[in-house]
Amino acid sequence: MSMMLAVVACGPGGRNPGNGGDDDGSGGVDAPFGVCVPSSEVCGDGIDNDCDLRTDCGDPDCSGATLPAGGTCPVCGVVENPESTPLPLPDGIGESTVCSTDAQCTTAELPNCVAKECHASYSSTLDFIGFPDGATLTDTSKLLSVCVTMEHSWLRDLQIELVGPPSGAQMVRPIIALHKFIDRTGGEIFLGAANDSDTAESPVPGTGAKYCWTGTATNTMLAAPTVSVGGSDTLPAGDYAPVAPFTALAGASLNGQWEMRVTDLWPIDNGFMFEWSISFDPSLVLDCAGPIIQ
């Protein structure tokens, strides 16, 4: 009696046709039909090499990768929201009405409760749709960064907040302070190359700098050292720790409107917003080749 030994090769990853041949060119018989032999994802070959049911630019492993035929895959999980022109921040527009929630700010022009006062704010939203239905931010380390490109001539004027989508049984929008307004005292600290010679009536943008908040940075903006630029104390561009940790967003819905809110609580000094962005770990995204916002 003779016995035939079939050799199953571990060649290039992907789902094998299982026709008894050597379709993958590995020198052995392919694995049975439907069995995926995992290997490192090859971006641009049309094969699910790592057996995660996603191929090429749709796979988080190909985020930002250069494709053999030219071009690159999009950076997965990162959304930037540039302003078409630099947008002046509302400069100290508010009232002393005591509040604890936005709902208590009933004047249409002053809709946001910031530092227990009703204020006008720069507000910009991104409406995310690219995460699995019902997904929540359970591992807050996968919120990689929140960034703004802006200039302002008095850091202490500002409160900068990230507002999440309605979440939980009560559908409450979580809010965390990235930078917190303390009080109307203290010295001048520039963000970017601020234009300090314009007027509130005719603001003129300076040059913005990019500031990011991450879960791994150690200094908040007010705790970080400044540098002298043109005789003005200036906060360097870079990564900073949020005042409220990202862990405060645990359980927040991933799909829905994420909002950047910047409030200037003290008149005279002003500033401009150029862009903001938010970056999530690519593994959270349903399809890295599909739309992530609408």
Side-chain angles (χ1 to χ4, degrees):
M1 180 176 67
S2 63
M3 180 179 294
M4 181 177 292
L5 179 65
V7 178
V8 178
C10 294
R15 299 191 182 277
N16 291 300
N19 57 10
D22 180 20
D23 294 271
D24 60 9
S26 62
V29 177
D30 296 334
F33 176 76
V35 174
C36 190
V37 181
S39 65
S40 297
E41 186 68 21
V42 178
C43 303
D45 67 351
I47 298 173
D48 176 19
N49 309 95
D50 58 2
C51 307
D52 65 353
L53 302 180
R54 293 184 280 192
T55 61
D56 300 340
C57 291
D59 193 312
D61 293 336
C62 292
S63 175
T66 300
L67 298 172
T72 59
C73 291
V75 178
C76 187
V78 178
V79 178
E80 297 178 340
N81 190 32
E83 299 294 341
S84 56
T85 59
L87 189 68
L89 298 172
D91 187 17
I93 301 172
E95 61 185 11
S96 58
T97 302
V98 176
C99 61
S100 56
T101 67
D102 289 351
Q104 294 170 326
C105 296
T106 56
T107 303
E109 293 78 14
L110 308 172
N112 301 316
C113 182
V114 182
K116 298 183 179 180
E117 298 175 352
C118 294
H119 280 272
S121 306
Y122 164 88
S123 177
S124 175
T125 59
L126 292 168
D127 193 358
F128 280 81
I129 58 171
F131 302 107
D133 289 344
T136 60
L137 187 63
T138 54
D139 180 357
T140 55
S141 70
K142 292 189 175 183
L143 173 55
L144 303 181
S145 66
V146 181
C147 301
V148 296
T149 300
M150 65 180 299
E151 62 96 329
H152 200 281
S153 54
W154 205 288
L155 170 63
R156 289 184 174 90
D157 284 12
L158 301 176
Q159 181 143 317
I160 305 175
E161 298 166 305
L162 178 67
V163 186
S167 305
Q170 303 300 317
M171 297 301 285
V172 174
R173 298 194 71 188
I175 303 175
I176 65 165
L178 302 171
H179 166 70
K180 189 173 182 179
F181 173 81
I182 304 299
D183 55 34
R184 293 177 173 88
T185 61
E188 188 174 56
I189 298 175
F190 277 26
L191 298 176
N195 185 353
D196 202 25
S197 60
D198 59 353
T199 65
E201 295 75 21
S202 301
V204 177
T207 302
K210 187 174 183 178
Y211 300 95
C212 294
W213 293 271
T214 72
T216 56
T218 54
N219 283 330
T220 63
M221 282 181 146
L222 283 179
T226 59
V227 297
S228 180
V229 178
S232 299
D233 284 341
T234 301
L235 187 70
D239 292 350
Y240 295 91
V243 172
F246 286 169
T247 52
L249 292 169
S253 297
L254 286 169
N255 286 320
Q257 289 191 344
W258 289 84
E259 177 186 355
M260 169 60 63
R261 182 185 293 178
V262 183
T263 309
D264 185 328
L265 291 100
W266 201 3
I268 302 176
D269 288 87
N270 57 31
F272 283 79
M273 285 289 296
F274 297 80
E275 178 180 273
W276 78 280
S277 64
I278 186 168
S279 301
F280 292 97
D281 189 291
S283 66
L284 296 175
V285 178
L286 188 62
D287 178 5
C288 287
I292 189 172
I293 61 170
Q294 64 178 4

